[in-house]
Short mmCIF file of all heavy atoms in Angstrom, two decimals:
data_model
loop_
_atom_site.label_atom_id
_atom_site.label_comp_id
_atom_site.label_asym_id
_atom_site.label_seq_id
_atom_site.Cartn_x
_atom_site.Cartn_y
_atom_site.Cartn_z
N VAL A 150 -75.21 -44.10 121.00
CA VAL A 150 -76.36 -43.26 121.38
C VAL A 150 -77.49 -43.59 120.47
O VAL A 150 -77.47 -43.41 119.29
CB VAL A 150 -75.97 -41.73 121.09
CG1 VAL A 150 -77.07 -40.83 121.63
CG2 VAL A 150 -74.66 -41.40 121.77
N ASP A 151 -78.54 -44.22 121.07
CA ASP A 151 -79.71 -44.62 120.30
C ASP A 151 -80.76 -43.51 120.23
O ASP A 151 -81.17 -42.98 121.20
CB ASP A 151 -80.33 -45.87 120.91
CG ASP A 151 -81.15 -46.70 120.02
OD1 ASP A 151 -82.26 -46.17 119.53
OD2 ASP A 151 -80.80 -47.83 119.68
N CYS A 152 -81.16 -43.16 119.00
CA CYS A 152 -82.17 -42.11 118.90
C CYS A 152 -83.36 -42.59 118.07
O CYS A 152 -84.17 -41.81 117.55
CB CYS A 152 -81.58 -40.81 118.23
SG CYS A 152 -81.16 -40.97 116.53
N VAL A 153 -83.54 -43.91 118.13
CA VAL A 153 -84.65 -44.49 117.32
C VAL A 153 -85.90 -44.45 118.07
O VAL A 153 -85.96 -44.72 119.30
CB VAL A 153 -84.26 -45.94 116.96
CG1 VAL A 153 -85.45 -46.63 116.26
CG2 VAL A 153 -83.02 -45.96 116.09
N ASN A 154 -87.04 -44.09 117.37
CA ASN A 154 -88.34 -43.97 117.92
C ASN A 154 -89.23 -45.12 117.40
O ASN A 154 -89.60 -45.04 116.21
CB ASN A 154 -88.99 -42.63 117.63
CG ASN A 154 -88.09 -41.52 118.12
OD1 ASN A 154 -87.82 -41.45 119.34
ND2 ASN A 154 -87.78 -40.61 117.23
N PRO A 155 -89.62 -46.14 118.17
CA PRO A 155 -90.53 -47.12 117.71
C PRO A 155 -91.95 -46.61 117.53
O PRO A 155 -92.63 -46.43 118.54
CB PRO A 155 -90.46 -48.25 118.77
CG PRO A 155 -89.17 -47.93 119.54
CD PRO A 155 -89.10 -46.45 119.52
N LEU A 156 -92.38 -46.43 116.33
CA LEU A 156 -93.69 -45.79 116.05
C LEU A 156 -94.45 -46.57 115.06
O LEU A 156 -93.88 -47.24 114.17
CB LEU A 156 -93.54 -44.36 115.56
CG LEU A 156 -92.88 -43.30 116.54
CD1 LEU A 156 -92.77 -42.00 115.81
CD2 LEU A 156 -93.66 -43.16 117.81
N GLY A 157 -95.74 -46.58 115.15
CA GLY A 157 -96.62 -47.06 114.14
C GLY A 157 -97.48 -45.94 113.58
O GLY A 157 -97.63 -44.88 114.24
N PHE A 158 -98.07 -46.16 112.45
CA PHE A 158 -98.95 -45.07 111.85
C PHE A 158 -100.17 -45.70 111.27
O PHE A 158 -100.15 -46.81 110.69
CB PHE A 158 -98.12 -44.43 110.70
CG PHE A 158 -96.95 -43.61 111.16
CD1 PHE A 158 -95.70 -44.28 111.32
CD2 PHE A 158 -97.05 -42.24 111.49
CE1 PHE A 158 -94.58 -43.56 111.68
CE2 PHE A 158 -95.91 -41.60 111.88
CZ PHE A 158 -94.70 -42.18 111.99
N ASP A 159 -101.26 -45.04 111.49
CA ASP A 159 -102.53 -45.48 110.91
C ASP A 159 -103.35 -44.26 110.52
O ASP A 159 -102.77 -43.12 110.51
CB ASP A 159 -103.33 -46.40 111.80
CG ASP A 159 -103.71 -45.79 113.11
OD1 ASP A 159 -103.65 -44.55 113.24
OD2 ASP A 159 -104.01 -46.55 114.06
N LYS A 160 -104.60 -44.36 110.22
CA LYS A 160 -105.37 -43.24 109.76
C LYS A 160 -105.55 -42.19 110.82
O LYS A 160 -105.87 -41.01 110.55
CB LYS A 160 -106.76 -43.69 109.33
CG LYS A 160 -106.74 -44.52 108.05
CD LYS A 160 -108.16 -44.93 107.66
CE LYS A 160 -108.12 -45.75 106.36
NZ LYS A 160 -109.51 -46.16 105.94
N LYS A 161 -105.36 -42.54 112.13
CA LYS A 161 -105.46 -41.60 113.23
C LYS A 161 -104.16 -40.86 113.50
O LYS A 161 -104.10 -40.00 114.35
CB LYS A 161 -105.91 -42.32 114.46
CG LYS A 161 -107.28 -42.90 114.43
CD LYS A 161 -107.77 -43.52 115.68
CE LYS A 161 -109.17 -44.08 115.66
NZ LYS A 161 -109.56 -44.74 116.89
N GLY A 162 -103.02 -41.37 112.86
CA GLY A 162 -101.77 -40.65 113.04
C GLY A 162 -100.74 -41.61 113.60
O GLY A 162 -100.84 -42.81 113.50
N ALA A 163 -99.71 -40.99 114.28
CA ALA A 163 -98.66 -41.78 114.83
C ALA A 163 -99.00 -42.27 116.24
O ALA A 163 -99.75 -41.60 116.94
CB ALA A 163 -97.36 -40.87 114.92
N TYR A 164 -98.49 -43.39 116.52
CA TYR A 164 -98.71 -43.99 117.87
C TYR A 164 -97.48 -44.75 118.26
O TYR A 164 -96.70 -45.24 117.45
CB TYR A 164 -99.97 -44.87 117.97
CG TYR A 164 -99.89 -46.05 117.09
CD1 TYR A 164 -99.48 -47.29 117.50
CD2 TYR A 164 -100.36 -45.94 115.75
CE1 TYR A 164 -99.48 -48.38 116.69
CE2 TYR A 164 -100.42 -47.03 114.89
CZ TYR A 164 -99.95 -48.28 115.34
OH TYR A 164 -99.87 -49.36 114.52
#
Side-chain angles (χ1 to χ4, degrees):
V150 187
D151 201 295
C152 70
V153 175
N154 302 303
L156 298 176
F158 295 86
D159 60 19
K160 292 181 179 180
K161 295 182 179 180
Y164 60 94

